[in-house]
Amino acid sequence: MLMDIEKLYREYFTPVYRYALSLVHDPDLAEEITQETFFRALRKINDYRGEASLKVWLCQIAKNLCFDTAKRQSRTTPLATREDDDGAGYYELPAGSGSDPEEQLLRKQTAMKIHRILHDLKEPYKEVFQLRTFGDLSFAEIGELFGKSESWARVTYYRSRMMIKEELDEDSL
């Protein structure tokens, strides 16, 4: 299969990067993983059978690289807490004026609650939510990635949203 790798890179860099960022929450690491994804895709382009879209295939490569990186890091470094991480850029909250310090603090606390809930969410709900929300994948692409239907992806995403909402509601009681 002969294709223009530069065109492929331009077209899919952003979605692959955003997906990697949703998994690793580190822009520099996400950039490295995205670069490695395209490097591996170039080496393995003859293995691409066209069963999934190129975007899904590239995201699958990125996902495997993210998991490999996480395994390597867990063996070599102690687990770090994310208490000092404000979560900025990972989850967009409803728009507000943002000028009120109380409002900013509330938004920051809500973002952290959402990240904690998402961190504890069971699979496949966690991954489907991340693919849809942070990776901008369509339900058809998510279903394809899991070898399931588009309807399965929609239902799983809806259930994950409901789980997050329930946890947020319980926290506010």
Side-chain angles (χ1 to χ4, degrees), residues 60-76:
Q60 186 67 44
I61 294 169
K63 174 184 161 186
N64 292 337
L65 286 167
C66 287
F67 290 155
D68 290 347
T69 301
K71 283 180 196 172
R72 243 187 343 272
Q73 287 178 345
S74 70
R75 288 185 205 132
T76 59

Side-chain angles (χ1 to χ4, degrees), residues 19-156:
Y19 174 61
L21 182 61
S22 77
L23 294 175
V24 298
H25 303 292
D26 177 342
D28 295 329
L29 183 57
E31 175 102 18
E32 288 178 37
I33 287 170
T34 304
Q35 297 291 337
E36 181 65 19
T37 296
F38 283 94
F39 178 71
R40 287 196 183 177
L42 179 60
R43 283 192 341 216
K44 300 282 189 178
I45 197 69
N46 292 330
D47 295 342
Y48 175 67
R49 297 183 303 263
E51 294 171 355
S53 71
L54 279 171
K55 182 178 175 182
V56 169
W57 183 64
L58 291 167
C59 284
Q60 186 67 44
I61 294 169
K63 174 184 161 186
N64 292 337
L65 286 167
C66 287
F67 290 155
D68 290 347
T69 301
K71 283 180 196 172
R72 243 187 343 272
Q73 287 178 345
S74 70
R75 288 185 205 132
T76 59
T77 59
L79 294 177
T81 63
R82 298 188 52 83
E83 297 298 317
D84 58 342
D85 185 3
D86 65 1
Y90 299 138
Y91 194 88
E92 192 172 319
L93 296 171
S97 66
S99 60
D100 180 16
E102 267 185 56
E103 182 182 322
Q104 288 178 344
L105 180 61
L106 182 61
R107 289 169 54 97
K108 192 176 193 179
Q109 289 171 340
T110 303
M112 272 311 294
K113 284 181 189 175
I114 291 169
H115 285 297
R116 284 189 182 117
I117 292 166
L118 187 56
H119 177 75
D120 294 334
L121 207 60
K122 302 276 187 244
E123 295 296 347
Y125 303 105
K126 178 180 182 176
E127 186 173 359
V128 168
F129 184 85
Q130 288 177 329
L131 288 169
R132 180 70 178 163
T133 305
F134 305 121
D136 284 337
L137 266 65
S138 70
F139 290 117
E141 290 170 324
I142 293 168
E144 195 175 324
L145 193 60
F146 280 88
K148 307 274 187 180
S149 69
E150 179 178 343
S151 296
W152 174 88
R154 286 181 187 278
V155 169
T156 305

